[in-house]
Amino acid sequence: MTFERIADDLRQQIRDGELRPGQLLPTQSQLMQTYKASSLTVQKAIRLLRNEGWVIARQGRGTFVTRSADFEDAFEKVAGDLQQQIYTGTLAPGARLPAREVLAEHYAVPLNVVTNAISLLAGNFLLRYPGELPGDEVYVRDWDDHGFATQLIHGRLVRKIRDGSLARGARVTVDDVVDTIGGDPESADQALTFLALEGRMKKAHQRNGSMVYVVVGGEFGTEVPVAVQPVDESDEASTALQKEFPAAGVADLAYKLERALERIEELEERVERLEGRDAD
């Protein structure tokens, strides 16, 4: 039997309830015997069902009929792993992502899970499409994208705080961030400001009058107070802002607002060009 016919038969068994959600699919050897098919044919049939979302593979355990909870787990796995690859530099700024089919095969998930994970990261300004609409080509954003640079610096600093590379009480300046992580001073300063709003850092003045950020802690609500030099009055405004808005969402809100404003400007320019053509 061809792999499409094997997939059709297994798909119908799932529809009829003969294979129930969460149930382990017969092994490859059992399927080869049942359908009198080669190993390659059975593998292609299972891959097709996996890409369509009918089954999901679990490493070392086998292939299972998909449950609704599996999609959520798989989605979080793909989106979280890709995000960490961007933050750690495994996926460098400007790099092209592997094809969706390759990612689906790598993570053993349906194609729509990969597509949704990519859409989420694109909406959070970590990934971009070359055109205006989502296509086959997807890239990590570049350093010259201010929103991306700010978020990337923020994410890498959070990792350093959590793994102890930036210990509690360590002092960091904008220049330090640019030299060790990259980006421009404006993006570095904004990322540090977000960390202060989140309670991971506190602003303080150095003796020469310049601003320095002191590491306070790594997780929300678990920070241990650190003695720092008096801060200027601008910190009072930051404290008030932190009370008004949930700290964990401030950075993401700022990125999305900035991107929305840029999009509005682009649309306004298009409208002006179209009006100009009509006038001609």
Side-chain angles (χ1 to χ4, degrees):
M1 297 181 69
T2 64
F3 76 93
E4 290 98 339
R5 292 176 62 188
I6 295 175
D8 286 341
D9 187 65
L10 292 172
R11 198 183 294 116
Q12 190 60 48
Q13 290 184 49
I14 295 173
R15 289 195 187 102
D16 294 341
E18 296 176 28
L19 291 171
R20 298 180 302 278
Q23 183 175 339
L24 181 66
L25 214 63
T27 65
Q28 181 175 307
S29 298
Q30 290 172 330
L31 292 174
M32 289 170 59
Q33 184 175 1
T34 300
Y35 294 105
K36 303 297 187 290
S38 68
S39 172
L40 180 61
T41 300
V42 170
Q43 289 176 17
K44 291 173 69 175
I46 294 176
R47 185 181 300 116
L48 176 60
L49 292 175
R50 194 172 65 214
N51 286 342
E52 293 176 347
W54 292 95
V55 299
I56 187 167
R58 299 192 182 282
Q59 190 171 6
R61 298 176 55 192
T63 303
F64 295 79
V65 179
T66 307
R67 301 170 301 174
S68 58
D70 292 328
F71 286 105
E72 183 178 350
D73 294 341
F75 173 77
E76 292 178 353
K77 172 187 175 183
V78 175
D81 188 67
L82 290 175
Q83 177 175 292
Q84 290 308 309
Q85 289 190 52
I86 294 172
Y87 284 163
T88 59
T90 303
L91 284 172
R96 180 177 176 178
L97 252 65
R100 286 177 172 81
E101 292 78 10
V102 175
L103 291 173
E105 182 71 20
H106 173 73
Y107 291 109
V109 298
L111 279 172
N112 64 327
V113 169
V114 173
T115 299
N116 291 337
I118 289 175
S119 298
L120 172 67
L121 297 179
N124 288 339
F125 311 119
L126 290 175
L127 301 176
R128 68 176 179 84
Y129 307 105
E132 294 183 4
L133 298 175
D136 293 333
E137 294 185 8
V138 185
Y139 294 84
V140 180
R141 290 184 181 270
D142 295 307
W143 277 115
D144 57 6
D145 186 314
H146 177 68
F148 168 75
T150 300
Q151 186 169 188
L152 182 58
I153 293 170
H154 176 274
R156 290 186 177 179
L157 286 173
V158 169
R159 286 181 59 86
K160 287 179 176 292
I161 293 172
R162 285 177 172 171
D163 66 20
S165 300
L166 280 175
R168 187 171 65 90
R171 292 170 175 266
V172 181
T173 66
V174 169
D175 290 339
D176 292 335
V177 172
V178 174
D179 291 341
T180 58
I181 294 180
D184 59 274
E186 183 180 357
S187 298
D189 182 63
Q190 191 168 8
L192 289 167
T193 299
F194 289 146
L195 289 169
L197 288 172
E198 294 167 354
R200 301 178 193 270
M201 289 186 172
K202 283 191 176 182
K203 291 182 180 180
H205 284 296
Q206 299 189 99
R207 292 183 179 178
N208 61 7
S210 61
M211 183 67 68
V212 67
Y213 292 80
V214 183
V215 178
V216 176
E219 297 293 341
F220 297 115
T222 63
E223 292 79 4
V224 180
V226 175
V228 298
Q229 299 178 27
V231 297
D232 58 14
E233 294 181 357
S234 63
D235 264 8
E236 296 180 3
S238 297
T239 303
L241 180 64
Q242 188 176 4
K243 292 179 180 178
E244 186 174 355
F245 297 99
V250 172
D252 184 56
L253 178 62
Y255 303 139
K256 292 182 178 179
L257 177 59
E258 182 177 358
R259 184 58 60 189
L261 292 174
E262 291 178 0
R263 184 62 176 160
I264 289 173
E265 291 178 359
E266 292 175 2
L267 291 173
E268 289 176 344
E269 291 177 359
R270 291 185 183 181
V271 171
E272 290 177 358
R273 289 198 297 268
L274 290 173
E275 290 177 345
R277 292 177 184 173
D278 292 341
D280 293 340

